[in-house]
Structures are given as structure tokens and as C-alpha cells.
PDB file of all heavy atoms in Angstrom:
ATOM      1  N   ASN W  15      -8.456  32.481 -37.030  1.00  0.00           N
ATOM      2  CA  ASN W  15      -7.995  31.354 -37.892  1.00  0.00           C
ATOM      3  C   ASN W  15      -7.019  31.852 -38.954  1.00  0.00           C
ATOM      4  O   ASN W  15      -6.004  31.183 -39.215  1.00  0.00           O
ATOM      5  CB  ASN W  15      -9.185  30.753 -38.512  1.00  0.00           C
ATOM      6  CG  ASN W  15     -10.115  30.151 -37.485  1.00  0.00           C
ATOM      7  OD1 ASN W  15      -9.713  29.688 -36.516  1.00  0.00           O
ATOM      8  ND2 ASN W  15     -11.463  30.169 -37.941  1.00  0.00           N
ATOM      9  N   SER W  16      -7.249  32.965 -39.512  1.00  0.00           N
ATOM     10  CA  SER W  16      -6.291  33.578 -40.475  1.00  0.00           C
ATOM     11  C   SER W  16      -5.005  33.791 -39.878  1.00  0.00           C
ATOM     12  O   SER W  16      -3.968  33.537 -40.687  1.00  0.00           O
ATOM     13  CB  SER W  16      -6.933  34.844 -41.114  1.00  0.00           C
ATOM     14  OG  SER W  16      -8.217  34.514 -41.748  1.00  0.00           O
ATOM     15  N   ALA W  17      -4.871  34.423 -38.779  1.00  0.00           N
ATOM     16  CA  ALA W  17      -3.607  34.706 -38.147  1.00  0.00           C
ATOM     17  C   ALA W  17      -2.745  33.493 -37.950  1.00  0.00           C
ATOM     18  O   ALA W  17      -1.545  33.470 -38.164  1.00  0.00           O
ATOM     19  CB  ALA W  17      -3.842  35.511 -36.887  1.00  0.00           C
ATOM     20  N   ALA W  18      -3.595  32.367 -37.454  1.00  0.00           N
ATOM     21  CA  ALA W  18      -2.835  31.078 -37.316  1.00  0.00           C
ATOM     22  C   ALA W  18      -2.244  30.542 -38.527  1.00  0.00           C
ATOM     23  O   ALA W  18      -1.116  30.027 -38.580  1.00  0.00           O
ATOM     24  CB  ALA W  18      -3.757  30.130 -36.590  1.00  0.00           C
ATOM     25  N   ARG W  19      -3.029  30.634 -39.635  1.00  0.00           N
ATOM     26  CA  ARG W  19      -2.595  30.086 -40.927  1.00  0.00           C
ATOM     27  C   ARG W  19      -1.394  30.896 -41.449  1.00  0.00           C
ATOM     28  O   ARG W  19      -0.435  30.385 -41.981  1.00  0.00           O
ATOM     29  CB  ARG W  19      -3.736  30.138 -42.021  1.00  0.00           C
ATOM     30  CG  ARG W  19      -4.927  29.389 -41.608  1.00  0.00           C
ATOM     31  CD  ARG W  19      -4.794  27.863 -41.591  1.00  0.00           C
ATOM     32  NE  ARG W  19      -6.120  27.316 -41.260  1.00  0.00           N
ATOM     33  CZ  ARG W  19      -6.521  26.939 -40.068  1.00  0.00           C
ATOM     34  NH1 ARG W  19      -5.693  27.063 -39.020  1.00  0.00           N
ATOM     35  NH2 ARG W  19      -7.740  26.301 -39.929  1.00  0.00           N
ATOM     36  N   LEU W  20      -1.460  32.214 -41.308  1.00  0.00           N
ATOM     37  CA  LEU W  20      -0.442  33.133 -41.722  1.00  0.00           C
ATOM     38  C   LEU W  20       0.861  32.883 -40.974  1.00  0.00           C
ATOM     39  O   LEU W  20       1.993  32.985 -41.500  1.00  0.00           O
ATOM     40  CB  LEU W  20      -0.843  34.646 -41.599  1.00  0.00           C
ATOM     41  CG  LEU W  20      -1.946  35.025 -42.538  1.00  0.00           C
ATOM     42  CD1 LEU W  20      -2.352  36.518 -42.079  1.00  0.00           C
ATOM     43  CD2 LEU W  20      -1.525  35.026 -43.980  1.00  0.00           C
ATOM     44  N   THR W  21       0.680  32.472 -39.669  1.00  0.00           N
ATOM     45  CA  THR W  21       1.965  32.231 -38.866  1.00  0.00           C
ATOM     46  C   THR W  21       2.658  30.955 -39.481  1.00  0.00           C
ATOM     47  O   THR W  21       3.878  30.981 -39.567  1.00  0.00           O
ATOM     48  CB  THR W  21       1.572  31.976 -37.458  1.00  0.00           C
ATOM     49  OG1 THR W  21       0.802  33.031 -36.941  1.00  0.00           O
ATOM     50  CG2 THR W  21       2.692  31.647 -36.558  1.00  0.00           C
ATOM     51  N   ASP W  22       1.857  30.025 -39.877  1.00  0.00           N
ATOM     52  CA  ASP W  22       2.579  28.791 -40.480  1.00  0.00           C
ATOM     53  C   ASP W  22       3.218  29.238 -41.770  1.00  0.00           C
ATOM     54  O   ASP W  22       4.356  28.673 -42.029  1.00  0.00           O
ATOM     55  CB  ASP W  22       1.544  27.648 -40.798  1.00  0.00           C
ATOM     56  CG  ASP W  22       0.912  27.054 -39.466  1.00  0.00           C
ATOM     57  OD1 ASP W  22       1.713  27.105 -38.371  1.00  0.00           O
ATOM     58  OD2 ASP W  22      -0.199  26.586 -39.497  1.00  0.00           O
ATOM     59  N   LEU W  23       2.662  30.070 -42.615  1.00  0.00           N
ATOM     60  CA  LEU W  23       3.284  30.345 -43.832  1.00  0.00           C
ATOM     61  C   LEU W  23       4.407  31.278 -43.659  1.00  0.00           C
ATOM     62  O   LEU W  23       5.405  31.370 -44.378  1.00  0.00           O
ATOM     63  CB  LEU W  23       2.235  31.149 -44.654  1.00  0.00           C
ATOM     64  CG  LEU W  23       1.027  30.201 -45.043  1.00  0.00           C
ATOM     65  CD1 LEU W  23       0.092  31.029 -45.958  1.00  0.00           C
ATOM     66  CD2 LEU W  23       1.486  29.049 -45.874  1.00  0.00           C
ATOM     67  N   ALA W  24       4.426  32.120 -42.424  1.00  0.00           N
ATOM     68  CA  ALA W  24       5.473  33.153 -42.174  1.00  0.00           C
ATOM     69  C   ALA W  24       6.745  32.599 -41.837  1.00  0.00           C
ATOM     70  O   ALA W  24       7.867  33.157 -41.965  1.00  0.00           O
ATOM     71  CB  ALA W  24       5.032  34.022 -41.067  1.00  0.00           C
ATOM     72  N   LYS W  25       6.716  31.282 -41.447  1.00  0.00           N
ATOM     73  CA  LYS W  25       8.030  30.605 -41.124  1.00  0.00           C
ATOM     74  C   LYS W  25       8.889  30.360 -42.304  1.00  0.00           C
ATOM     75  O   LYS W  25      10.139  30.187 -42.181  1.00  0.00           O
ATOM     76  CB  LYS W  25       7.650  29.146 -40.443  1.00  0.00           C
ATOM     77  CG  LYS W  25       6.957  29.320 -39.130  1.00  0.00           C
ATOM     78  CD  LYS W  25       6.574  27.975 -38.563  1.00  0.00           C
ATOM     79  CE  LYS W  25       5.718  28.094 -37.236  1.00  0.00           C
ATOM     80  NZ  LYS W  25       5.340  26.815 -36.725  1.00  0.00           N
ATOM     81  N   ASP W  26       8.307  30.461 -43.575  1.00  0.00           N
ATOM     82  CA  ASP W  26       9.096  30.389 -44.719  1.00  0.00           C
ATOM     83  C   ASP W  26       9.298  31.676 -45.491  1.00  0.00           C
ATOM     84  O   ASP W  26       9.784  31.667 -46.601  1.00  0.00           O
ATOM     85  CB  ASP W  26       8.409  29.346 -45.690  1.00  0.00           C
ATOM     86  CG  ASP W  26       8.248  28.030 -45.150  1.00  0.00           C
ATOM     87  OD1 ASP W  26       9.212  27.520 -44.446  1.00  0.00           O
ATOM     88  OD2 ASP W  26       7.218  27.369 -45.256  1.00  0.00           O
ATOM     89  N   VAL W  27       8.916  32.766 -44.786  1.00  0.00           N
ATOM     90  CA  VAL W  27       9.052  34.025 -45.425  1.00  0.00           C
ATOM     91  C   VAL W  27      10.289  34.839 -44.849  1.00  0.00           C
ATOM     92  O   VAL W  27      10.438  34.754 -43.660  1.00  0.00           O
ATOM     93  CB  VAL W  27       7.776  34.905 -45.138  1.00  0.00           C
ATOM     94  CG1 VAL W  27       7.902  36.374 -45.514  1.00  0.00           C
ATOM     95  CG2 VAL W  27       6.535  34.321 -45.934  1.00  0.00           C
ATOM     96  N   PRO W  28      11.047  35.429 -45.712  1.00  0.00           N
ATOM     97  CA  PRO W  28      12.124  36.215 -45.154  1.00  0.00           C
ATOM     98  C   PRO W  28      11.602  37.291 -44.019  1.00  0.00           C
ATOM     99  O   PRO W  28      10.679  38.072 -44.376  1.00  0.00           O
ATOM    100  CB  PRO W  28      12.768  36.953 -46.372  1.00  0.00           C
ATOM    101  CG  PRO W  28      12.398  36.069 -47.541  1.00  0.00           C
ATOM    102  CD  PRO W  28      11.014  35.469 -47.192  1.00  0.00           C
ATOM    103  N   GLY W  29      12.315  37.279 -43.016  1.00  0.00           N
ATOM    104  CA  GLY W  29      11.766  38.186 -41.906  1.00  0.00           C
ATOM    105  C   GLY W  29      10.922  37.512 -40.972  1.00  0.00           C
ATOM    106  O   GLY W  29      10.653  37.987 -39.796  1.00  0.00           O
ATOM    107  N   GLY W  30      10.227  36.403 -41.306  1.00  0.00           N
ATOM    108  CA  GLY W  30       9.379  35.714 -40.514  1.00  0.00           C
ATOM    109  C   GLY W  30       8.153  36.301 -40.064  1.00  0.00           C
ATOM    110  O   GLY W  30       7.399  35.920 -39.109  1.00  0.00           O
ATOM    111  N   VAL W  31       7.609  37.417 -40.762  1.00  0.00           N
ATOM    112  CA  VAL W  31       6.312  38.025 -40.442  1.00  0.00           C
ATOM    113  C   VAL W  31       5.516  38.099 -41.701  1.00  0.00           C
ATOM    114  O   VAL W  31       6.006  38.541 -42.684  1.00  0.00           O
ATOM    115  CB  VAL W  31       6.574  39.480 -39.929  1.00  0.00           C
ATOM    116  CG1 VAL W  31       5.298  40.098 -39.540  1.00  0.00           C
ATOM    117  CG2 VAL W  31       7.556  39.477 -38.783  1.00  0.00           C
ATOM    118  N   LEU W  32       4.238  37.745 -41.562  1.00  0.00           N
ATOM    119  CA  LEU W  32       3.303  37.749 -42.628  1.00  0.00           C
ATOM    120  C   LEU W  32       1.952  38.297 -42.137  1.00  0.00           C
ATOM    121  O   LEU W  32       1.482  37.853 -41.141  1.00  0.00           O
ATOM    122  CB  LEU W  32       3.031  36.310 -43.238  1.00  0.00           C
ATOM    123  CG  LEU W  32       2.427  36.336 -44.602  1.00  0.00           C
ATOM    124  CD1 LEU W  32       3.184  36.996 -45.658  1.00  0.00           C
ATOM    125  CD2 LEU W  32       2.249  34.785 -44.992  1.00  0.00           C
ATOM    126  N   ALA W  33       1.339  39.297 -42.876  1.00  0.00           N
ATOM    127  CA  ALA W  33       0.208  40.028 -42.516  1.00  0.00           C
ATOM    128  C   ALA W  33      -0.811  40.083 -43.614  1.00  0.00           C
ATOM    129  O   ALA W  33      -0.307  39.990 -44.818  1.00  0.00           O
ATOM    130  CB  ALA W  33       0.483  41.392 -42.035  1.00  0.00           C
ATOM    131  N   SER W  34      -2.033  40.075 -43.322  1.00  0.00           N
ATOM    132  CA  SER W  34      -3.049  40.299 -44.308  1.00  0.00           C
ATOM    133  C   SER W  34      -3.012  41.766 -44.826  1.00  0.00           C
ATOM    134  O   SER W  34      -2.760  42.708 -44.060  1.00  0.00           O
ATOM    135  CB  SER W  34      -4.465  39.956 -43.882  1.00  0.00           C
ATOM    136  OG  SER W  34      -4.798  40.914 -42.819  1.00  0.00           O
ATOM    137  N   TRP W  35      -3.214  41.944 -46.117  1.00  0.00           N
ATOM    138  CA  TRP W  35      -3.206  43.283 -46.668  1.00  0.00           C
ATOM    139  C   TRP W  35      -4.282  44.172 -46.062  1.00  0.00           C
ATOM    140  O   TRP W  35      -4.037  45.385 -45.936  1.00  0.00           O
ATOM    141  CB  TRP W  35      -3.253  43.310 -48.168  1.00  0.00           C
ATOM    142  CG  TRP W  35      -3.008  44.637 -48.725  1.00  0.00           C
ATOM    143  CD1 TRP W  35      -3.997  45.471 -49.230  1.00  0.00           C
ATOM    144  CD2 TRP W  35      -1.848  45.419 -48.724  1.00  0.00           C
ATOM    145  NE1 TRP W  35      -3.469  46.783 -49.581  1.00  0.00           N
ATOM    146  CE2 TRP W  35      -2.057  46.712 -49.324  1.00  0.00           C
ATOM    147  CE3 TRP W  35      -0.589  45.157 -48.371  1.00  0.00           C
ATOM    148  CZ2 TRP W  35      -1.166  47.656 -49.541  1.00  0.00           C
ATOM    149  CZ3 TRP W  35       0.397  46.093 -48.511  1.00  0.00           C
ATOM    150  CH2 TRP W  35       0.117  47.425 -49.175  1.00  0.00           C
ATOM    151  N   ASP W  36      -5.391  43.547 -45.658  1.00  0.00           N
ATOM    152  CA  ASP W  36      -6.494  44.392 -44.986  1.00  0.00           C
ATOM    153  C   ASP W  36      -5.917  45.024 -43.726  1.00  0.00           C
ATOM    154  O   ASP W  36      -6.305  46.174 -43.443  1.00  0.00           O
ATOM    155  CB  ASP W  36      -7.622  43.342 -44.625  1.00  0.00           C
ATOM    156  CG  ASP W  36      -8.311  42.842 -45.908  1.00  0.00           C
ATOM    157  OD1 ASP W  36      -8.217  43.440 -46.948  1.00  0.00           O
ATOM    158  OD2 ASP W  36      -9.127  41.807 -45.742  1.00  0.00           O
ATOM    159  N   SER W  37      -5.138  44.391 -42.990  1.00  0.00           N
ATOM    160  CA  SER W  37      -4.537  45.068 -41.881  1.00  0.00           C
ATOM    161  C   SER W  37      -3.624  46.158 -42.104  1.00  0.00           C
ATOM    162  O   SER W  37      -3.803  47.304 -41.525  1.00  0.00           O
ATOM    163  CB  SER W  37      -3.674  43.981 -41.018  1.00  0.00           C
ATOM    164  OG  SER W  37      -4.496  42.843 -40.529  1.00  0.00           O
ATOM    165  N   VAL W  38      -2.809  46.038 -43.182  1.00  0.00           N
ATOM    166  CA  VAL W  38      -2.014  47.100 -43.668  1.00  0.00           C
ATOM    167  C   VAL W  38      -2.793  48.378 -44.077  1.00  0.00           C
ATOM    168  O   VAL W  38      -2.483  49.443 -43.803  1.00  0.00           O
ATOM    169  CB  VAL W  38      -0.989  46.629 -44.674  1.00  0.00           C
ATOM    170  CG1 VAL W  38      -0.117  47.891 -45.191  1.00  0.00           C
ATOM    171  CG2 VAL W  38      -0.159  45.529 -44.107  1.00  0.00           C
ATOM    172  N   ASP W  39      -3.814  48.011 -44.974  1.00  0.00           N
ATOM    173  CA  ASP W  39      -4.672  49.014 -45.504  1.00  0.00           C
ATOM    174  C   ASP W  39      -5.446  49.682 -44.476  1.00  0.00           C
ATOM    175  O   ASP W  39      -5.607  50.922 -44.507  1.00  0.00           O
ATOM    176  CB  ASP W  39      -5.675  48.430 -46.476  1.00  0.00           C
ATOM    177  CG  ASP W  39      -6.364  49.402 -47.304  1.00  0.00           C
ATOM    178  OD1 ASP W  39      -5.786  50.275 -47.737  1.00  0.00           O
ATOM    179  OD2 ASP W  39      -7.608  49.260 -47.431  1.00  0.00           O
ATOM    180  N   LEU W  40      -5.866  48.954 -43.317  1.00  0.00           N
ATOM    181  CA  LEU W  40      -6.614  49.700 -42.286  1.00  0.00           C
ATOM    182  C   LEU W  40      -5.620  50.551 -41.453  1.00  0.00           C
ATOM    183  O   LEU W  40      -6.038  51.497 -40.837  1.00  0.00           O
ATOM    184  CB  LEU W  40      -7.175  48.712 -41.398  1.00  0.00           C
ATOM    185  CG  LEU W  40      -8.148  49.169 -40.240  1.00  0.00           C
ATOM    186  CD1 LEU W  40      -9.364  49.945 -40.751  1.00  0.00           C
ATOM    187  CD2 LEU W  40      -8.618  47.936 -39.357  1.00  0.00           C
ATOM    188  N   ALA W  41      -4.337  50.135 -41.318  1.00  0.00           N
ATOM    189  CA  ALA W  41      -3.437  50.857 -40.473  1.00  0.00           C
ATOM    190  C   ALA W  41      -3.114  52.260 -41.057  1.00  0.00           C
ATOM    191  O   ALA W  41      -3.071  53.325 -40.404  1.00  0.00           O
ATOM    192  CB  ALA W  41      -2.178  50.118 -40.336  1.00  0.00           C
ATOM    193  N   GLY W  42      -2.943  52.339 -42.323  1.00  0.00           N
ATOM    194  CA  GLY W  42      -2.541  53.574 -43.038  1.00  0.00           C
ATOM    195  C   GLY W  42      -1.239  54.077 -42.585  1.00  0.00           C
ATOM    196  O   GLY W  42      -0.428  53.384 -42.040  1.00  0.00           O
ATOM    197  N   GLU W  43      -0.819  55.247 -43.117  1.00  0.00           N
ATOM    198  CA  GLU W  43       0.496  55.807 -42.801  1.00  0.00           C
ATOM    199  C   GLU W  43       0.563  56.300 -41.382  1.00  0.00           C
ATOM    200  O   GLU W  43      -0.482  56.705 -40.910  1.00  0.00           O
ATOM    201  CB  GLU W  43       0.773  56.975 -43.856  1.00  0.00           C
ATOM    202  CG  GLU W  43       0.759  56.527 -45.401  1.00  0.00           C
ATOM    203  CD  GLU W  43       1.998  55.539 -45.627  1.00  0.00           C
ATOM    204  OE1 GLU W  43       2.889  55.482 -44.826  1.00  0.00           O
ATOM    205  OE2 GLU W  43       1.792  54.715 -46.645  1.00  0.00           O
ATOM    206  N   PRO W  44       1.799  56.261 -40.840  1.00  0.00           N
ATOM    207  CA  PRO W  44       3.032  55.830 -41.469  1.00  0.00           C
ATOM    208  C   PRO W  44       3.365  54.354 -41.319  1.00  0.00           C
ATOM    209  O   PRO W  44       4.311  53.854 -41.935  1.00  0.00           O
ATOM    210  CB  PRO W  44       4.192  56.665 -40.670  1.00  0.00           C
ATOM    211  CG  PRO W  44       3.499  56.723 -39.306  1.00  0.00           C
ATOM    212  CD  PRO W  44       1.943  56.899 -39.530  1.00  0.00           C
ATOM    213  N   GLU W  45       2.543  53.595 -40.555  1.00  0.00           N
ATOM    214  CA  GLU W  45       2.790  52.171 -40.413  1.00  0.00           C
ATOM    215  C   GLU W  45       2.788  51.465 -41.698  1.00  0.00           C
ATOM    216  O   GLU W  45       3.598  50.548 -41.953  1.00  0.00           O
ATOM    217  CB  GLU W  45       1.737  51.504 -39.431  1.00  0.00           C
ATOM    218  CG  GLU W  45       1.991  50.112 -39.114  1.00  0.00           C
ATOM    219  CD  GLU W  45       3.349  49.731 -38.507  1.00  0.00           C
ATOM    220  OE1 GLU W  45       3.868  50.621 -37.720  1.00  0.00           O
ATOM    221  OE2 GLU W  45       3.892  48.597 -38.905  1.00  0.00           O
ATOM    222  N   ALA W  46       1.840  51.711 -42.679  1.00  0.00           N
ATOM    223  CA  ALA W  46       1.746  50.998 -43.851  1.00  0.00           C
ATOM    224  C   ALA W  46       3.056  51.167 -44.723  1.00  0.00           C
ATOM    225  O   ALA W  46       3.309  50.295 -45.491  1.00  0.00           O
ATOM    226  CB  ALA W  46       0.603  51.532 -44.643  1.00  0.00           C
ATOM    227  N   GLY W  47       3.792  52.205 -44.462  1.00  0.00           N
ATOM    228  CA  GLY W  47       5.041  52.327 -45.245  1.00  0.00           C
ATOM    229  C   GLY W  47       6.063  51.205 -44.904  1.00  0.00           C
ATOM    230  O   GLY W  47       7.108  51.193 -45.680  1.00  0.00           O
ATOM    231  N   HIS W  48       5.932  50.575 -43.824  1.00  0.00           N
ATOM    232  CA  HIS W  48       6.917  49.524 -43.511  1.00  0.00           C
ATOM    233  C   HIS W  48       6.580  48.171 -44.066  1.00  0.00           C
ATOM    234  O   HIS W  48       7.293  47.171 -43.962  1.00  0.00           O
ATOM    235  CB  HIS W  48       6.922  49.329 -41.901  1.00  0.00           C
ATOM    236  CG  HIS W  48       7.432  50.549 -41.174  1.00  0.00           C
ATOM    237  ND1 HIS W  48       8.656  50.921 -41.143  1.00  0.00           N
ATOM    238  CD2 HIS W  48       6.789  51.563 -40.463  1.00  0.00           C
ATOM    239  CE1 HIS W  48       8.872  52.005 -40.358  1.00  0.00           C
ATOM    240  NE2 HIS W  48       7.635  52.373 -39.999  1.00  0.00           N
ATOM    241  N   TRP W  49       5.455  48.154 -44.836  1.00  0.00           N
ATOM    242  CA  TRP W  49       4.986  46.909 -45.460  1.00  0.00           C
ATOM    243  C   TRP W  49       4.920  46.967 -46.995  1.00  0.00           C
ATOM    244  O   TRP W  49       4.521  48.128 -47.539  1.00  0.00           O
ATOM    245  CB  TRP W  49       3.591  46.463 -44.958  1.00  0.00           C
ATOM    246  CG  TRP W  49       3.652  46.445 -43.333  1.00  0.00           C
ATOM    247  CD1 TRP W  49       3.692  47.430 -42.452  1.00  0.00           C
ATOM    248  CD2 TRP W  49       3.883  45.162 -42.538  1.00  0.00           C
ATOM    249  NE1 TRP W  49       3.780  46.880 -41.170  1.00  0.00           N
ATOM    250  CE2 TRP W  49       3.922  45.496 -41.240  1.00  0.00           C
ATOM    251  CE3 TRP W  49       4.021  43.799 -42.962  1.00  0.00           C
ATOM    252  CZ2 TRP W  49       4.110  44.570 -40.234  1.00  0.00           C
ATOM    253  CZ3 TRP W  49       4.207  42.945 -41.996  1.00  0.00           C
ATOM    254  CH2 TRP W  49       4.215  43.316 -40.602  1.00  0.00           C
ATOM    255  N   VAL W  50       4.972  45.846 -47.653  1.00  0.00           N
ATOM    256  CA  VAL W  50       4.918  45.798 -49.115  1.00  0.00           C
ATOM    257  C   VAL W  50       3.958  44.597 -49.404  1.00  0.00           C
ATOM    258  O   VAL W  50       3.882  43.589 -48.571  1.00  0.00           O
ATOM    259  CB  VAL W  50       6.131  45.703 -49.884  1.00  0.00           C
ATOM    260  CG1 VAL W  50       6.949  46.999 -49.742  1.00  0.00           C
ATOM    261  CG2 VAL W  50       6.971  44.479 -49.463  1.00  0.00           C
ATOM    262  N   GLU W  51       3.311  44.587 -50.527  1.00  0.00           N
ATOM    263  CA  GLU W  51       2.399  43.455 -50.848  1.00  0.00           C
ATOM    264  C   GLU W  51       3.336  42.198 -51.199  1.00  0.00           C
ATOM    265  O   GLU W  51       4.377  42.400 -51.785  1.00  0.00           O
ATOM    266  CB  GLU W  51       1.518  43.788 -52.121  1.00  0.00           C
ATOM    267  CG  GLU W  51       0.425  44.789 -51.823  1.00  0.00           C
ATOM    268  CD  GLU W  51      -0.669  44.708 -52.903  1.00  0.00           C
ATOM    269  OE1 GLU W  51      -1.362  43.694 -53.098  1.00  0.00           O
ATOM    270  OE2 GLU W  51      -0.712  45.838 -53.650  1.00  0.00           O
ATOM    271  N   TYR W  52       2.729  41.125 -51.012  1.00  0.00           N
ATOM    272  CA  TYR W  52       3.329  39.843 -51.238  1.00  0.00           C
ATOM    273  C   TYR W  52       2.510  38.819 -51.904  1.00  0.00           C
ATOM    274  O   TYR W  52       2.453  37.696 -51.473  1.00  0.00           O
ATOM    275  CB  TYR W  52       3.846  39.306 -49.857  1.00  0.00           C
ATOM    276  CG  TYR W  52       5.000  38.209 -49.906  1.00  0.00           C
ATOM    277  CD1 TYR W  52       6.191  38.534 -50.432  1.00  0.00           C
ATOM    278  CD2 TYR W  52       4.678  36.947 -49.667  1.00  0.00           C
ATOM    279  CE1 TYR W  52       7.233  37.562 -50.499  1.00  0.00           C
ATOM    280  CE2 TYR W  52       5.654  35.911 -49.751  1.00  0.00           C
ATOM    281  CZ  TYR W  52       6.845  36.235 -50.139  1.00  0.00           C
ATOM    282  OH  TYR W  52       7.878  35.279 -50.277  1.00  0.00           O
ATOM    283  N   GLY W  53       1.698  39.330 -52.883  1.00  0.00           N
ATOM    284  CA  GLY W  53       0.858  38.472 -53.556  1.00  0.00           C
ATOM    285  C   GLY W  53      -0.300  38.044 -52.849  1.00  0.00           C
ATOM    286  O   GLY W  53      -0.773  38.779 -51.851  1.00  0.00           O
ATOM    287  N   GLU W  54      -0.963  36.979 -53.170  1.00  0.00           N
ATOM    288  CA  GLU W  54      -2.139  36.464 -52.462  1.00  0.00           C
ATOM    289  C   GLU W  54      -2.173  34.921 -52.468  1.00  0.00           C
ATOM    290  O   GLU W  54      -1.461  34.251 -53.267  1.00  0.00           O
ATOM    291  CB  GLU W  54      -3.344  37.027 -53.122  1.00  0.00           C
ATOM    292  CG  GLU W  54      -3.629  36.619 -54.584  1.00  0.00           C
ATOM    293  CD  GLU W  54      -4.841  37.268 -55.193  1.00  0.00           C
ATOM    294  OE1 GLU W  54      -5.298  38.360 -54.699  1.00  0.00           O
ATOM    295  OE2 GLU W  54      -5.358  36.609 -56.092  1.00  0.00           O
ATOM    296  N   THR W  55      -3.028  34.453 -51.541  1.00  0.00           N
ATOM    297  CA  THR W  55      -3.066  32.839 -51.486  1.00  0.00           C
ATOM    298  C   THR W  55      -4.349  32.612 -50.806  1.00  0.00           C
ATOM    299  O   THR W  55      -5.019  33.379 -50.179  1.00  0.00           O
ATOM    300  CB  THR W  55      -1.950  32.338 -50.579  1.00  0.00           C
ATOM    301  OG1 THR W  55      -1.923  30.913 -50.674  1.00  0.00           O
ATOM    302  CG2 THR W  55      -2.094  32.723 -49.206  1.00  0.00           C
ATOM    303  N   VAL W  56      -4.840  31.365 -51.078  1.00  0.00           N
ATOM    304  CA  VAL W  56      -6.057  30.875 -50.393  1.00  0.00           C
ATOM    305  C   VAL W  56      -5.777  30.080 -49.150  1.00  0.00           C
ATOM    306  O   VAL W  56      -5.023  29.043 -49.225  1.00  0.00           O
ATOM    307  CB  VAL W  56      -6.916  29.974 -51.353  1.00  0.00           C
ATOM    308  CG1 VAL W  56      -8.119  29.446 -50.682  1.00  0.00           C
ATOM    309  CG2 VAL W  56      -7.315  30.797 -52.654  1.00  0.00           C
ATOM    310  N   LEU W  57      -6.075  30.711 -48.080  1.00  0.00           N
ATOM    311  CA  LEU W  57      -5.730  30.065 -46.769  1.00  0.00           C
ATOM    312  C   LEU W  57      -6.547  28.765 -46.636  1.00  0.00           C
ATOM    313  O   LEU W  57      -7.668  28.767 -47.056  1.00  0.00           O
ATOM    314  CB  LEU W  57      -5.837  31.081 -45.623  1.00  0.00           C
ATOM    315  CG  LEU W  57      -5.006  32.317 -45.692  1.00  0.00           C
ATOM    316  CD1 LEU W  57      -5.435  33.257 -44.544  1.00  0.00           C
ATOM    317  CD2 LEU W  57      -3.533  31.885 -45.560  1.00  0.00           C
ATOM    318  N   ARG W  58      -6.096  27.819 -45.887  1.00  0.00           N
ATOM    319  CA  ARG W  58      -6.825  26.619 -45.630  1.00  0.00           C
ATOM    320  C   ARG W  58      -8.019  26.957 -44.850  1.00  0.00           C
ATOM    321  O   ARG W  58      -8.057  27.713 -43.869  1.00  0.00           O
ATOM    322  CB  ARG W  58      -5.818  25.698 -44.736  1.00  0.00           C
ATOM    323  CG  ARG W  58      -6.530  24.373 -44.407  1.00  0.00           C
ATOM    324  CD  ARG W  58      -5.434  23.343 -43.996  1.00  0.00           C
ATOM    325  NE  ARG W  58      -4.656  23.936 -42.866  1.00  0.00           N
ATOM    326  CZ  ARG W  58      -4.920  23.782 -41.644  1.00  0.00           C
ATOM    327  NH1 ARG W  58      -6.009  23.080 -41.202  1.00  0.00           N
ATOM    328  NH2 ARG W  58      -4.073  24.238 -40.640  1.00  0.00           N
TER     329      ARG W  58
END
């Protein structure tokens, strides 16, 4: 459900990709280095 909600929001984000920070945090380096925080929101 979260991935589907993020997809709708990603259509308005530069680059068209939006991920949960939990995914970036779990990935670790070096993959995490390609991502930056983008605030937070309450998903539907």
C-alpha cells in the first residue's frame, strides 16, 4: 500500500522516484549515498 501511495506522490517529484527512508536506511552504503531525505508525510 505504501509503495502505491508513494508512486502517486512521485509523479510530482523531480526525477519521478520516491522511496521510504526505511528502505534507504536498510540499504546502507553505497546505495544510500544516491538518496537524500525529502521530509515526511502521512500517507493515505
Side-chain angles (χ1 to χ4, degrees):
N15 298 329
S16 297
R19 306 289 184 266
L20 293 174
T21 300
D22 290 334
L23 298 178
K25 297 175 182 179
D26 299 322
V27 170
V31 184
L32 193 63
S34 67
W35 185 255
D36 291 341
S37 299
V38 176
D39 191 44
L40 183 62
E43 296 296 338
E45 179 60 36
H48 296 284
W49 302 82
V50 295
E51 283 196 72
Y52 196 69
E54 60 182 28
T55 188
V56 178
L57 299 176
R58 181 163 54 90

